[in-house]
């Protein structure tokens, strides 16, 4: 499931969808103000990582779906361990999920979005490099 070139692995590690080797985001910027900065092209195969302006608009829907999923899991866990769950507690969990996981969910939803349109072609040294 998490072999170095599986689809799941490449999405969770935000790798280029075409070669699954190059990183979509610069290293060490996940929990910094630069978490949204992306490489413009894959360093390994040259695939454009932002083919057109506004390309990742649709990734917001993916991100929303992931947020709802994470929130529901958090709610189930909360109800499992507490008898009374107040509105304040729910809002706290919601805030924690949305803010705490923002950079991770942001990146994974972009990786999922581009994976819908750009398909795996092979290792970077075996496929033609794009300009
Ligand atoms: Zn690539």
């Amino acid at each position: 499931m998490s072999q170095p070139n599986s689809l799941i692995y490449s999405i969770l590690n935000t790798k280029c969808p075409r070669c699954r080797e190059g990183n979509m985001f610069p290293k060490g910027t996940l929990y910094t103000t630069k978490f949204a900065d992306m490489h413009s092209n894959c360093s390994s195969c040259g695939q454009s990582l932002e083919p057109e302006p506004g390309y990742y608009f649709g990734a917001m829907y993916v991100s929303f779906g992931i947020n709802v999923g994470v929130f529901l899991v958090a709610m189930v866990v909360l109800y499992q361990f507490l008898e009374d769950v107040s509105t304040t507690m729910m809002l706290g969990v919601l805030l924690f999920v949305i803010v705490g996981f923002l950079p991770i969910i942001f990146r994974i939803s972009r990786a999922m979005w581009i994976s819908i349109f750009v398909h795996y072609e092979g290792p970077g040294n075996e496929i033609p490099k794009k300009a």
Side-chain angles (χ1 to χ4, degrees), residues 11-49:
I11 287 175
L12 292 181
N13 291 282
T14 59
K15 297 286 182 190
C16 160
R18 185 165 174 255
C19 66
R20 295 180 183 166
E21 285 172 8
N23 292 313
M24 290 175 64
F25 298 90
K27 275 197 184 304
T29 55
L30 183 58
Y31 275 97
T32 70
T33 52
K34 292 185 173 174
F35 77 91
D37 290 1
M38 285 183 87
H39 291 302
S40 56
N41 292 81
C42 170
S43 59
S44 176
C45 74
Q47 168 67 42
S48 171
L49 296 173

Side-chain angles (χ1 to χ4, degrees), residues 44-66:
S44 176
C45 74
Q47 168 67 42
S48 171
L49 296 173
E50 184 153 16
E52 56 195 69
Y55 182 74
Y56 289 105
F57 184 76
M60 285 198 311
Y61 298 104
V62 178
S63 153
F64 175 74
I66 298 174

Side-chain angles (χ1 to χ4, degrees), residues 73-110:
V73 169
M75 280 294 114
V76 168
V77 171
L78 209 58
Y79 274 102
Q80 207 68 40
F81 291 104
L82 297 171
E83 284 188 11
D84 277 318
V85 179
S86 66
T87 312
T88 317
M89 229 181 264
M90 266 191 214
L91 288 177
V93 170
L94 190 63
L95 199 70
F96 174 77
V97 166
I98 290 174
V99 175
F101 290 93
L102 178 74
I104 298 173
I105 293 176
F106 175 87
R107 289 188 172 193
I108 288 180
S109 56
R110 284 194 167 204

